[in-house]
Amino acid sequence: DAKTTQPNSMESNEEEPVHLPCNHSTISGTDYIHWYRQLPSQGPEYVIHGLTSNVNNRMASLAIAEDRKSSTLILHRATLRDAAVYYCILRDVIERDDKIIFGKGTRLHILP
Amino acid sequence: NAGVTQTPKFRILKIGQSMTLQCTQDMNHNYMYWYRQDPGMGLKLIYYSVGAGITDKGEVPNGYNVSRSTTEDFPLRLELAAPSQTSVYFCASSYAVTGAGELFFGEGSRLTVL
């Protein structure tokens, strides 16, 4: 089973910020938090990842709770091209058994 | 770099036929994965490999086989195809960077079993 839980769907208006939550209450100290997104009819693509500190890149920001049991992907200014399914997954830093399990993700709808 | 290349992109099989989905990557990644995605659903892990000669079962391995004789290639074999195997199959790879390495996905192979 997936180690993360996400809302099934969310809706946002174009050009507004979007906050996508992810719960991972059983996260271990060696798990990285990764986010991927899947545009319609495409394979998933990497968005961002982090371990403990908040992270920023050109696509998004990742806010990680202090206890690491939840995180939030932030799209600062949503566009119609951001409509996709967003997946939050955990990846163990040890990697001896790198069984990467995806949950159902959050389907993000962007309203023009 | 071509990244992760999957072939074929589309295939129709009859029940009971067998076939191999090919996956190759040119990034010298140690880790490779096969996922399937049914319509409107998330990704399910079929098999994965942490290096040449090493493979492990994922969440839904029944009806599939894999091999990893080289770093570059990770073919997925379907034996005795069944309608339940109608799905989109994604191959992915990753460099082994202690949990921080990102996954690179192929464009997918859409399989229909009739």
Side-chain angles (χ1 to χ4, degrees), chain A residues 34 36 38 91 95 97-98 100, chain B residues 33 35 48 94 99 101 103:
Chain A
H34 284 241
Y36 289 80
Q38 187 175 20
R91 190 169 187 191
E95 286 187 345
D97 181 14
D98 199 29
I100 302 178
Chain B
Y33 314 82
Y35 291 90
Y48 66 105
S94 172
L103 288 171

Side-chain angles (χ1 to χ4, degrees), chain B residues 31-105:
Chain B
Y31 291 64
M32 296 189 74
Y33 314 82
W34 273 107
Y35 291 90
R36 60 174 286 174
Q37 186 173 38
D38 297 336
M41 305 296 286
L43 297 157
K44 290 290 188 182
L45 180 64
I46 306 172
Y47 272 96
Y48 66 105
S49 169
V50 299
I54 305 169
T55 61
D56 279 292
K57 295 178 181 179
E59 303 172 271
V60 290
N62 291 344
Y64 306 94
N65 278 302
V66 293
S67 60
R68 184 91 183 273
S69 56
T70 66
T71 299
E72 295 77 21
D73 300 307
F74 191 40
L76 178 71
R77 177 89 178 153
L78 282 73
E79 304 282 2
L80 299 175
S84 60
Q85 293 178 304
T86 294
S87 191
V88 180
Y89 292 83
F90 290 102
C91 179
S93 73
S94 172
Y95 185 63
V97 184
T98 59
E102 65 182 90
L103 288 171
F104 291 82
F105 283 83

